Amino acid sequence: MDRYDQTKLLLSGIVIGAGAVLAVQTISSVRRQDSTKKTQILKEDIRNGLEDCIGNTPLIRIKHLSEATGCEILGKAEFLEPGGSVKDRVALKLIKTAEEANLLTPHSGDKVYEGTVGSTGVSLAFICRARGYLAHICMPNDQSTEKSSLLLKLGAMVTLVPPAPIVDKGQFVNRARALAAAQTASETEPGRGFFADQFENPANWKAHYEGTGPEIYQQCGGRVDAFVAGAGTGGTLSGVGKYLKERLESVRVVLADPQGSGLYNRIKYGVMFDIKEREGTRRRPQVDTIVEGIGINRVTANFEAGRPYVDDAIRVTDDEALAMARLLVEKEGLFVGSSSAVNCVAAVRTAMKLGPGHRVVTILCDSGTRHLSKFWKKAGEVAGDEEMTLDGVLGCGEVGKGVSLEGEKSGYGV
């Protein structure tokens, strides 16, 4: 073999060796990547108790409402919270704040008292159990029966009282406050009584400023044209509205208010009054509506905390809320409660004012399962063979009579 052939053979060996080394390195690299991928897939995601599951709910596009208005109407799915409603956020914040202030001590006999129409009570009941407390809930006796039944199943004490104005000592909020003070003063009953005070306690709106608001902002990639929500305590509207307004100057914050509530006039005219509540015409002592959870005829600290950030208010009739609830089942499979239906009607009207191409976010507060014996009893069955339209929803009741999507004009100029 001459020198040329030897050189050729040597070079061939070097190439083959290099190729083998490269192949081994490539295979090892792929195996390492596969191993890394498998490690990432198997990464643990374990929550520390049920209360650690609160928050980070999905933001869903409500398809039918979006397509009908030309806007993107998004609902924050708070009915997927572990306790079934947006009030989980508030209840946890109320209790944690009290613990930090040494007003509550777990497993000491301390009891949490609250006056509520139901949802906050349910949230407090399960969180109290999870953190070593008992809950005592006072609520009006005209609320849906499934709420009080659920509270009892969760181990809470329940006191039902007749509906009454806030000036009445027997009103459900005042009753809860008095019971909490009585336990604290008692020499025989163990532990202290803590009145959660969801209407006036700033921990309420801060729960949404620190949680719901940032989540919506991030889920929307920082693009929100309007936020629409009803108000009972006012915490959701205030907390989310304040958070969004501080970051998006042009965002519209809109109150959705049921008939009989005075908040609409509070925003529009600076006064708390509703024609259905004038003396001699009330059918019940609180707010004259079938809707539960939102609407009120007094000013609360949590509502006032966010009032400077509220741009507009939309009043929604009971008939509109009932029709919207049916439409959401018919077109979306969404089975929501009365306050969510009110929010969706107001979200549609806001979208119509803004005009096509805008993004409107609202809150889907809780499921219709909490409203079977009252709101959904009146709404009736959704048979599946009824051709429901959004124009039909907006044509219900005195507020929406004669209004159609085609006839509505843009009112915000943005």
Side-chain angles (χ1 to χ4, degrees):
M1 181 181 297
D2 58 20
R3 185 180 297 276
Y4 173 77
D5 291 336
Q6 290 176 347
T7 303
K8 186 177 178 181
L9 183 61
L10 178 62
L11 289 174
S12 297
I14 293 172
V15 170
I16 292 171
V21 171
L22 182 60
V24 171
Q25 290 177 341
T26 301
I27 292 170
S28 299
S29 176
V30 170
R31 286 176 175 172
R32 283 196 299 271
Q33 290 176 5
D34 288 343
S35 176
T36 301
K37 288 179 180 178
K38 289 179 181 178
T39 302
Q40 290 174 344
I41 292 172
L42 296 175
K43 183 179 179 181
E44 292 184 348
D45 182 13
I46 301 171
R47 306 300 171 90
N48 186 30
L50 194 58
E51 66 266 43
D52 204 31
C53 300
I54 294 172
N56 294 309
T57 52
L59 188 64
I60 62 176
R61 182 175 182 267
I62 306 177
K63 295 178 290 184
H64 182 74
L65 304 187
S66 298
E67 291 162 5
T69 60
C71 287
E72 194 173 28
I73 297 182
L74 308 176
K76 187 78 164 139
E78 291 297 293
F79 59 87
L80 296 177
E81 295 282 9
S85 83
V86 66
K87 293 298 187 178
D88 285 6
R89 298 174 184 267
V90 175
L92 183 59
K93 184 68 173 177
L94 290 169
I95 290 175
K96 281 188 172 181
T97 302
E99 289 173 340
E100 291 166 2
N102 294 318
L103 297 174
L104 284 173
T105 304
H107 307 290
S108 65
D110 287 353
K111 190 179 293 182
V112 176
Y113 292 82
E114 183 58 294
T116 167
V117 296
S119 289
T120 303
V122 172
S123 299
L124 282 170
F126 93 83
I127 294 172
C128 281
R129 282 294 180 179
R131 299 181 77 89
Y133 307 106
L134 292 176
H136 189 137
I137 306 302
C138 299
M139 60 189 297
N141 61 11
D142 65 344
Q143 300 300 293
S144 54
T145 56
E146 47 268 33
K147 291 181 180 179
S148 57
S149 297
L150 181 56
L151 284 167
L152 292 170
K153 299 299 183 185
L154 288 169
M157 296 181 66
V158 179
T159 298
L160 299 175
V161 300
I166 191 66
V167 294
D168 191 321
K169 291 183 179 180
Q171 193 260 5
F172 65 101
V173 174
N174 294 333
R175 185 71 178 275
R177 181 188 290 108
L179 289 172
Q183 177 172 344
T184 301
S186 174
E187 296 181 358
T188 58
E189 191 171 358
R192 297 166 293 178
F194 170 69
F195 175 51
D197 201 10
Q198 61 166 330
F199 289 91
E200 310 299 329
N201 192 330
N204 184 336
W205 71 262
K206 289 179 181 179
H208 298 290
Y209 182 82
E210 297 169 3
T212 322
E215 288 173 28
I216 289 172
Y217 184 74
Q218 291 168 13
Q219 288 170 322
C220 287
R223 188 175 77 81
V224 183
D225 295 306
F227 173 70
V228 180
T233 65
T236 306
L237 187 72
S238 293
V240 176
K242 175 177 168 62
Y243 184 89
L244 293 178
K245 279 284 191 179
E246 290 175 351
R247 288 153 182 82
L248 301 168
E249 291 184 3
S250 63
V251 69
R252 303 285 300 182
V253 177
V254 181
L255 166 71
D257 209 32
Q259 68 181 51
S261 171
L263 295 179
Y264 173 87
N265 284 332
R266 181 68 171 171
I267 295 298
K268 287 287 194 179
Y269 311 113
V271 296
M272 287 290 290
F273 173 76
D274 185 86
I275 192 67
K276 289 182 179 293
E277 293 288 298
R278 70 188 188 276
E279 189 172 354
T281 66
R282 291 191 206 174
R283 292 199 301 272
R284 59 189 293 264
Q286 195 181 5
V287 176
D288 195 8
T289 177
I290 196 172
V291 174
E292 296 180 5
I294 58 174
I296 195 171
N297 277 315
R298 62 184 174 92
V299 176
T300 67
N302 278 292
F303 183 81
E304 290 298 289
R307 190 163 70 95
Y309 303 98
V310 181
D311 300 292
D312 198 5
I314 294 173
R315 175 167 287 156
V316 178
T317 67
D318 282 357
D319 287 339
E320 286 176 319
L322 290 163
M324 176 59 78
R326 291 171 57 85
L327 181 75
L328 290 173
V329 172
E330 179 78 18
K331 302 297 185 182
E332 302 279 344
L334 270 175
F335 184 53
V336 297
S338 55
S339 56
S340 302
V342 169
N343 285 347
C344 286
V345 172
V348 166
R349 292 193 179 281
T350 300
M352 289 158 57
K353 286 186 178 182
L354 288 170
H358 292 87
R359 177 178 284 171
V360 180
V361 179
T362 192
I363 303 292
L364 302 177
C365 312
D366 63 3
S367 165
T369 56
R370 297 246 177 113
H371 303 260
L372 292 174
S373 64
K374 186 178 176 184
F375 180 79
W376 270 101
K377 183 178 181 179
K378 186 167 184 177
E381 305 294 333
V382 179
D385 57 356
E386 183 179 352
E387 186 54 40
M388 303 185 70
T389 65
L390 192 54
D391 277 349
V393 171
L394 299 180
C396 292
E398 44 192 62
V399 173
K401 190 174 182 179
V403 176
S404 70
L405 292 174
E406 293 181 356
E408 188 78 7
K409 302 296 183 181
S410 176
Y412 290 144
V414 295

